[in-house]
C-alpha cells in the first residue's frame, strides 16, 4: 500500500459545480498537508497548506483534514474552466525530514 | 516574482549519452530537489541538496548523480542515459524549515532514444 493514495481521475464536471478532490494516507506521523496545482506542461505550484486537522479557506478553495480518518480533501466552489489541471496532494511529518510525500495527482476537467 | 528555471523544456538524447539538466533558483533557498514525474507513478524524489556541495539520495537515485557548486544552481547528471530514464524532470527549491513548501520549475521533458 502506498503511503498516499489519490484517484487519478479524470474528474469531469460542468462549470459552476462544486468539486471534491481527496487523498487518503497511512502514515499517522503526517502533520503538514498541502495541495499543489499543475497545469499541463508546467511545474506544480503550491495552492493550499494546512497544519494538523481542521479546515482552511482561501477564496473558492477549502482544504479539509481529518486525521482520525487519515483523509484530506480539497473543495473548489463555483469551478471554472481555468481550474482544469492536475491536483496533487502532499504531506509530511514534523520530525526529521520535512520533505513531502506526494500523491499521484487527480486530473480535473471543468467544461463550459 | 520567485523563479525556478530549468535549462531546457525539451531534450532528446541517445542511449549511452551523458546528459546534464540544469536548475537555477533566484530565491536564495538553501534546499533544492530533483524529481521525475511519470504517468501513474506521480512525483518521485531522485536527489536533494540542503546546502552547497551537500547532497542526499532520494527514493530513486540509481542511474543519476547531482552537483551543487553554487547555492542557486543544482544539476542532475545522467552518466549513461537509458530509455527507462525517459521522463519529465522537475526541479524544486525550498527554504529551510519549510521544505514542504516547494517552488517548482517548469520541467524538462527528456526523451532517450
Amino acid at each position: 500500500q502506498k503511503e498516499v493514495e489519490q484517484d487519478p481521475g479524470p474528474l469531469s464536471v460542468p462549470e459552476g459545480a462544486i468539486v471534491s478532490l481527496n487523498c487518503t494516507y497511512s502514515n499517522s506521523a503526517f502533520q503538514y498537508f498541502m495541495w499543489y496545482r499543475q497545469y499541463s506542461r508546467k511545474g506544480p505550484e503550491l495552492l493550499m497548506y494546512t497544519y494538523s486537522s481542521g479546515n482552511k479557506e482561501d477564496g473558492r478553495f477549502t482544504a479539509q483534514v481529518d486525521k482520525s480518518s487519515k483523509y484530506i480533501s480539497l473543495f473548489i466552489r463555483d469551478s471554472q474552466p481555468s481550474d482544469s489541471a492536475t491536483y496533487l496532494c502532499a504531506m509530511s511529518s514534523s520530525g526529521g525530514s520535512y520533505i513531502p510525500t506526494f500523491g499521484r495527482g487527480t486530473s480535473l476537467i471543468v467544461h463550459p | 516574482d520567485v523563479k525556478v528555471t530549468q535549462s531546457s523544456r525539451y531534450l532528446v538524447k541517445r542511449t549511452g549519452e551523458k546528459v546534464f539538466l540544469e536548475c537555477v533558483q533566484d530565491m536564495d533557498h538553501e534546499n533544492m530537489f530533483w524529481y521525475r514525474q511519470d504517468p501513474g507513478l506521480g512525483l518521485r524524489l531522485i536527489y536533494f541538496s540542503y546546502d552547497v556541495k551537500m547532497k542526499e539520495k532520494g527514493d530513486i537515485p540509481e542511474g543519476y548523480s547531482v552537483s551543487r557548486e553554487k547555492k542557486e544552481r543544482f544539476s542532475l547528471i545522467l552518466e549513461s542515459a537509458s530509455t527507462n530514464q525517459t521522463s519529465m524532470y522537475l526541479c524544486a527549491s525550498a527554504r529551510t524549515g519549510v521544505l514542504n513548501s516547494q517552488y517548482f520549475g517548469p520541467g524538462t521533458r527528456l526523451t532517450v532514444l
Side-chain angles (χ1 to χ4, degrees):
Chain A
Q1 182 193 10
K2 278 182 67 70
E3 270 194 306
V4 179
E5 297 279 1
Q6 186 175 11
D7 188 328
L11 178 62
S12 183
V13 301
E15 183 175 355
I18 296 174
V19 174
S20 172
L21 303 165
N22 312 293
C23 289
T24 59
Y25 63 95
S26 57
N27 187 346
S28 57
F30 287 146
Q31 298 260 30
Y32 298 90
F33 303 92
M34 289 72 66
W35 286 95
Y36 284 81
R37 178 175 61 196
Q38 185 176 20
Y39 290 115
S40 180
R41 289 185 285 276
K42 296 278 180 71
E45 57 177 329
L46 183 64
L47 195 59
M48 300 280 287
Y49 177 111
T50 53
Y51 171 70
S52 196
S53 284
N55 291 3
K56 185 174 183 178
E57 191 173 318
D58 184 1
R60 297 185 294 110
F61 298 88
T62 299
Q64 196 171 76
V65 175
D66 181 349
K67 290 188 71 179
S68 62
S69 302
K70 297 191 178 68
Y71 188 89
I72 70 170
S73 301
L74 178 70
F75 298 97
I76 307 174
R77 290 186 300 280
D78 187 25
S79 57
Q80 303 295 309
S82 58
D83 294 327
S84 298
T86 296
Y87 290 80
L88 298 97
C89 64
M91 42 199 84
S92 64
S93 59
S94 57
S97 168
Y98 286 79
I99 297 173
T101 300
F102 285 86
R104 298 179 188 186
T106 298
S107 175
L108 171 67
I109 302 166
V110 182
H111 51 87
Chain B
D1 196 17
V2 297
K3 265 291 183 49
V4 179
T5 56
Q6 295 183 230
S7 51
S8 305
R9 292 302 306 275
Y10 300 94
L11 211 52
V12 179
K13 295 292 182 181
R14 297 213 172 269
T15 302
E17 279 193 78
K18 190 169 187 175
V19 181
F20 292 87
L21 303 182
E22 300 281 328
C23 175
V24 178
Q25 51 98 1
D26 66 359
M27 295 165 282
D28 201 35
H29 285 169
E30 299 84 2
N31 306 277
M32 297 186 74
F33 309 82
W34 275 106
Y35 292 89
R36 63 178 283 177
Q37 186 175 35
D38 301 286
L41 297 177
L43 278 169
R44 293 182 291 168
L45 182 64
I46 305 171
Y47 269 97
F48 68 99
S49 168
Y50 54 89
D51 202 351
V52 175
K53 297 193 186 294
M54 307 303 289
K55 60 185 179 185
E56 293 284 344
K57 293 180 180 179
D59 300 318
I60 51 163
E62 297 78 18
Y64 304 94
S65 63
V66 291
S67 172
R68 188 145 180 228
E69 296 296 318
K70 292 185 177 182
K71 190 176 186 180
E72 67 272 17
R73 190 179 296 269
F74 192 34
S75 302
L76 180 70
I77 303 150
L78 288 66
E79 293 288 342
S80 179
S82 63
T83 54
N84 62 12
Q85 292 178 310
T86 291
S87 186
M88 169 69 85
Y89 289 88
L90 288 160
C91 174
S93 72
R95 194 168 302 285
T96 295
V98 280
L99 300 186
N100 40 29
S101 294
Q102 299 187 358
Y103 292 86
F104 283 85
T108 296
R109 165 67 64 185
L110 173 66
T111 301
V112 183
L113 302 175

